[in-house]
Structures are given as structure tokens and as C-alpha cells.
Amino acid sequence: MLKFFNTQVGRLRLIAFLEGISLLVLVGIAVPLKYVYHDPSLVKAMGPAHGILFLLFVLNTMSVGIAYRWRFRTTTWKVLLACFIPFGTFYIDRVVLSRMV
């Protein structure tokens, strides 16, 4: 687990995992609880947490893209797109990021 903190790509992979989990919890659990059971408490807790993780993911993606000289047309846009799709960050971690460590 400590290997994720040693490199920029490792930190990006960790943030990608956390952002992916927060999106799944928000969309799969919190939003249904809000609209089916009229309980918005989990959305109020997970919404800001997911927003912060989303911003960290975007900023770290841009930072890693600059440091590793990713071409925007081939790599960076794919990594950025992944955070908008459920399970996207897990896919991009497996296909792109894990091969860079």
C-alpha cells in the first residue's frame, strides 16, 4: 500500500480508486435512499466528499500528464473521461495507470 504514495502515478491511482468508490456509493446507494426513502443525509455527506475527490483526480491527472508528458489526444483525455463514467476509474487504472508504475 505504501507504494502508492511514492510516485505521482501511484497517488493518482489511489485517488482514482477513492473517487470511483465515492461515485458508486453516491449513485448506487445515496441517491436511491434520497428519492425512494426520502432520506437525503447520505447525499449530504457523500456529495461534498465525492466533489473533493473528483477535483483531486482532475488536478492530479493534469499534474501527472504534464510530468510524464502525456499527449492530451492519446492519454490525458481518456483518464479525465474515466471519472465521469461509473467504473471508469477502475478501468483506466487497470488499462493505463497500472502499466506506468
Side-chain angles (χ1 to χ4, degrees):
M1 187 66 171
L2 289 176
K3 68 180 179 178
F4 288 116
F5 295 106
N6 293 334
T7 65
Q8 282 185 309
V9 174
R11 287 187 292 273
L12 180 61
R13 290 181 70 195
L14 183 62
I15 292 169
F17 177 76
L18 295 173
E19 196 274 336
I21 293 292
S22 72
L23 177 63
L24 292 177
V25 169
L26 189 62
V27 171
I29 298 171
V31 171
L33 280 175
K34 179 180 179 180
Y35 289 106
V36 174
Y37 297 105
H38 307 289
D39 183 13
S41 61
L42 192 55
V43 170
K44 289 180 181 178
M46 285 304 301
H50 172 69
I52 290 169
L53 288 168
F54 174 81
L55 290 174
L56 282 173
F57 181 78
V58 170
L59 292 173
N60 277 299
T61 298
M62 298 307 288
S63 175
V64 170
I66 291 168
Y68 283 74
R69 297 178 187 221
W70 289 348
R71 300 198 70 193
F72 189 83
R73 289 185 174 183
T74 59
T75 307
T76 307
W77 76 271
K78 293 176 187 176
V79 177
L80 288 173
L81 181 65
C83 65
F84 291 100
I85 302 168
F87 300 103
T89 54
F90 305 118
Y91 173 78
I92 210 72
D93 176 60
R94 178 87 175 200
V95 173
V96 176
L97 299 176
S98 66
R99 297 178 182 175
M100 294 185 171
V101 175

